[in-house]
Amino acid sequence: MKDKKFLLYLGCTIPTKQYAYEISVRAVLPKLGIELVEFERASCCGFPLKGIDRKAWIYMSARVLALARQYKLPILVLCNGCDVSLRETRHFLDKYPELKNEISEMLREEDLELNNNVDIVHTIEILHDVIGIEKIKASIVKPLSNLKIASYPGCHALRPTEIPRPEDAVNPVKIDNIIRALGAETEDYPDKRGCCGATMLPYSPESAIKASAAKIRIMKDYGFDAAVTSCPYCMEMLDVKQDVAKNLLEDEEISLPIFYLTQLVGLSMGLKPEELGLNLNMSPVEDILERLEV
């Protein structure tokens, strides 16, 4: 298959905190026929400003869309927050002509022209819908057999439903389909569609940590050996903050290996853990690596 080109948009969280996601994407997708094009001058999508200054948020996302115009390529978005931000901005600019005119005028100060027709593709979509389950199956050299893995899309991969989302809000199955294609088991479980708590972190850190800890407990109650996500915010809460949750709740059982979806796909393709940034995961992924003998 001839390589398909995508403009790689990393946002701000991945290049500053969640390096393993970028490492695994750059290792895995080219081997599945995806050419990644560097996105020069791209900045934050403005998502962290959404609850503070909505116009600033819209402007920052519109700027990313305008910069993408010169490449004439679809944007590959890795972060759930960036994905929802860019798609909501496109929706609002179509819906409100006055806002569109105002943002267009602001962009002209940088000699940029608004591009509201660019295609946006999320990690879940590029794996499930662009590359496809059959091609992923054909790439497997090390099936993830005898593992039961929980799918955790993250709330912004599902909602708001007024705009296209990577997963169906009621019946999200794309990550599940990929998990099964890799040779592992999965099943539905309560709160699979819930929020990881990341949006509460600046306002009520203890409540946020308790929310993420509750999810890990539920996953363990359902017998999952590990969980997988494609959202850097969810990774931050479920993986990075596991030790914080253990200490806060004085519960050593809050322990579960957490992977990025691209890391699991890469392992099944025979890539080495360090090629996928697995040395950067904070949860006990070594338990799974030992079982897989990698």
Side-chain angles (χ1 to χ4, degrees), residues 9 22 39 101 104 127 152 171 199 201 204:
Y9 179 57
E22 178 182 354
F39 195 167
N101 291 337
S104 295
L127 286 168
Y152 191 69
N171 187 30
T199 51
L201 202 56
S204 180

Side-chain angles (χ1 to χ4, degrees), residues 141-149 182-184 226 259 263-271 273 276 278 285-294:
V141 298
K142 196 169 190 59
L144 307 183
S145 307
N146 302 316
L147 289 176
K148 184 176 177 181
I149 298 174
L182 302 180
F259 293 84
Q263 289 179 318
L264 277 189
V265 174
L267 283 175
S268 75
M269 293 167 64
L271 297 181
L276 300 165
L278 278 158
V285 294
E286 59 275 7
D287 296 350
I288 300 298
L289 301 182
E290 287 176 10
R291 288 174 62 174
L292 293 172
E293 298 181 343
V294 294

Side-chain angles (χ1 to χ4, degrees), residues 118-231:
V118 64
D119 289 329
I120 299 166
V121 179
H122 184 270
T123 310
I124 297 171
E125 295 169 313
I126 202 163
L127 286 168
H128 189 275
D129 303 335
V130 178
I131 294 167
I133 293 298
E134 293 307 314
K135 187 171 180 65
I136 290 174
K137 281 183 178 177
S139 72
I140 293 174
V141 298
K142 196 169 190 59
L144 307 183
S145 307
N146 302 316
L147 289 176
K148 184 176 177 181
I149 298 174
S151 160
Y152 191 69
C155 59
H156 285 114
L158 311 175
R159 299 180 290 274
T161 55
E162 291 81 9
I163 58 172
R165 306 305 308 125
E167 284 270 23
D168 184 88
V170 177
N171 187 30
V173 295
K174 290 183 181 179
I175 294 180
D176 300 57
N177 291 341
I178 294 170
I179 290 170
R180 293 189 180 100
L182 302 180
E185 299 174 38
T186 192
E187 67 172 320
D188 215 348
Y189 62 95
D191 214 15
K192 173 182 172 182
R193 299 154 190 79
C195 172
C196 67
T199 51
M200 285 191 289
L201 202 56
Y203 317 105
S204 180
E206 186 169 326
S207 298
I209 296 296
K210 287 180 177 177
S212 62
K215 283 165 180 57
I216 292 173
R217 284 170 169 155
I218 290 172
M219 290 171 187
K220 294 191 72 169
D221 287 346
Y222 271 70
F224 289 109
D225 300 303
V228 63
T229 187
S230 61
C231 173

Side-chain angles (χ1 to χ4, degrees), residues 1-245:
M1 182 184 79
K2 188 177 178 181
D3 282 3
K4 296 178 179 178
K5 286 187 180 181
F6 287 83
L7 188 59
L8 178 61
Y9 179 57
L10 296 171
C12 62
T13 302
I14 294 166
T16 54
K17 292 198 288 186
Q18 288 293 326
Y19 314 117
Y21 197 1
E22 178 182 354
I23 291 169
S24 61
V25 164
R26 290 186 185 277
V28 169
L29 294 188
K31 294 185 184 303
L32 292 170
I34 300 297
E35 181 179 343
L36 301 172
V37 177
E38 301 303 320
F39 195 167
E40 303 292 339
R41 297 175 60 202
S43 54
C44 170
C45 70
F47 184 72
L49 295 176
K50 189 176 178 183
I52 303 169
D53 186 333
R54 289 181 69 83
K55 190 173 291 183
W57 158 57
I58 292 281
Y59 167 74
M60 291 179 74
S61 277
R63 183 180 182 275
V64 173
L65 296 173
L67 285 169
R69 185 173 185 272
Q70 61 186 305
Y71 294 92
K72 298 179 180 177
L73 292 172
I75 305 176
L76 171 59
V77 181
L78 310 186
C79 170
N80 285 8
C82 295
D83 184 86
V84 77
S85 191
L86 296 182
R87 295 197 209 212
E88 271 198 307
T89 291
R90 206 172 49 180
H91 170 75
F92 286 134
L93 292 176
D94 279 339
K95 189 173 181 180
Y96 301 108
E98 289 185 5
L99 176 64
K100 186 175 182 178
N101 291 337
E102 187 177 3
I103 296 295
S104 295
E105 190 63 33
M106 294 168 70
L107 290 170
R108 271 195 280 276
E109 293 183 15
E110 255 191 286
D111 293 326
L112 294 175
E113 186 175 338
L114 183 62
N115 175 21
N116 219 26
N117 297 315
V118 64
D119 289 329
I120 299 166
V121 179
H122 184 270
T123 310
I124 297 171
E125 295 169 313
I126 202 163
L127 286 168
H128 189 275
D129 303 335
V130 178
I131 294 167
I133 293 298
E134 293 307 314
K135 187 171 180 65
I136 290 174
K137 281 183 178 177
S139 72
I140 293 174
V141 298
K142 196 169 190 59
L144 307 183
S145 307
N146 302 316
L147 289 176
K148 184 176 177 181
I149 298 174
S151 160
Y152 191 69
C155 59
H156 285 114
L158 311 175
R159 299 180 290 274
T161 55
E162 291 81 9
I163 58 172
R165 306 305 308 125
E167 284 270 23
D168 184 88
V170 177
N171 187 30
V173 295
K174 290 183 181 179
I175 294 180
D176 300 57
N177 291 341
I178 294 170
I179 290 170
R180 293 189 180 100
L182 302 180
E185 299 174 38
T186 192
E187 67 172 320
D188 215 348
Y189 62 95
D191 214 15
K192 173 182 172 182
R193 299 154 190 79
C195 172
C196 67
T199 51
M200 285 191 289
L201 202 56
Y203 317 105
S204 180
E206 186 169 326
S207 298
I209 296 296
K210 287 180 177 177
S212 62
K215 283 165 180 57
I216 292 173
R217 284 170 169 155
I218 290 172
M219 290 171 187
K220 294 191 72 169
D221 287 346
Y222 271 70
F224 289 109
D225 300 303
V228 63
T229 187
S230 61
C231 173
Y233 285 94
C234 297
M235 195 68 172
E236 186 81 9
M237 295 304 296
L238 299 177
D239 174 82
V240 176
K241 300 198 182 304
Q242 270 194 29
D243 281 346
V244 177

